[in-house]
Amino acid sequence: MTDRTATAKWTGDLASGSGTVNLDSSGLGSFGVSWPARTEEPGGKTSPEELIAAAHSSCYCMQFSALLARAGIPPTRMETSAKVGFGKVGGGFGITGILLTVRAEVPGAEKSRFLEIAEQAKQTCPVSAALTGVKIELDAALA
């Protein structure tokens, strides 16, 4: 088992405050966060949703490439983006959905088998599993 750690620090109230999130395990650094970066323009800062998008897109690539290889059609290249929506949900705010968009070069892959494995990867990716309360859509195509 492996653990990864990040630490957030916050100063002030929600609207005018700001903070940082530090990627402790990797040591890759600290990144600014703020409410305006979450609900308006990023302005050089990140948000929980962008961090989820980074986690989801990288996890999906790993899962999809593993499943394709297991099926005997390993990819030569893959690019996945995750678009995480954030907005009003009920009386508050929440993640409104995620769109995974993947384009992959998979020599010898039949389109129907490729799409079947793409969907399987969406269902079995550990980050997708952690986000089971969120609608996750998939747009997959061979490059």
Side-chain angles (χ1 to χ4, degrees), residues 7 16 22 27 30 32 34-35 38 50 62 64 76 81 86 99 101 114 116 133 139 141:
T7 303
S16 63
N22 188 64
S30 293
S34 70
W35 181 251
R38 194 172 190 184
E50 184 178 36
M62 291 179 198
F64 193 21
T76 55
S81 67
F86 180 75
L99 172 61
T101 301
F114 170 83
E116 176 186 319
D139 172 10

Side-chain angles (χ1 to χ4, degrees), residues 1-95:
M1 184 172 123
T2 335
D3 294 320
R4 297 292 179 256
T5 306
T7 303
K9 296 178 182 175
W10 189 265
T11 304
D13 66 5
L14 178 62
S16 63
S18 65
T20 58
V21 62
N22 188 64
L23 304 180
D24 300 329
S25 301
S26 65
L28 290 175
S30 293
F31 302 90
V33 293
S34 70
W35 181 251
R38 194 172 190 184
T39 59
E40 300 165 18
E41 290 300 313
K45 296 183 179 182
T46 192
S47 68
E49 292 72 30
E50 184 178 36
L51 296 170
I52 288 170
H56 205 176
S57 61
S58 59
C59 183
Y60 182 84
C61 277
M62 291 179 198
Q63 185 70 1
F64 193 21
S65 66
L67 293 175
L68 287 166
R70 191 175 304 148
I73 47 173
T76 55
R77 186 181 165 289
M78 181 181 304
E79 182 175 312
T80 301
S81 67
K83 183 178 180 180
V84 178
F86 180 75
K88 292 268 188 182
V89 176
F93 288 87
I95 293 175

Side-chain angles (χ1 to χ4, degrees), residues 81-132:
S81 67
K83 183 178 180 180
V84 178
F86 180 75
K88 292 268 188 182
V89 176
F93 288 87
I95 293 175
T96 57
I98 299 172
L99 172 61
L100 292 172
T101 301
V102 60
R103 298 296 179 262
E105 294 174 10
V106 187
E110 294 177 4
K111 184 178 179 180
S112 62
R113 183 71 174 130
F114 170 83
L115 293 174
E116 176 186 319
I117 296 169
E119 183 63 30
Q120 182 184 7
K122 183 187 92 169
Q123 299 299 325
T124 59
C125 159
V127 173
S128 291
L131 298 169
T132 54

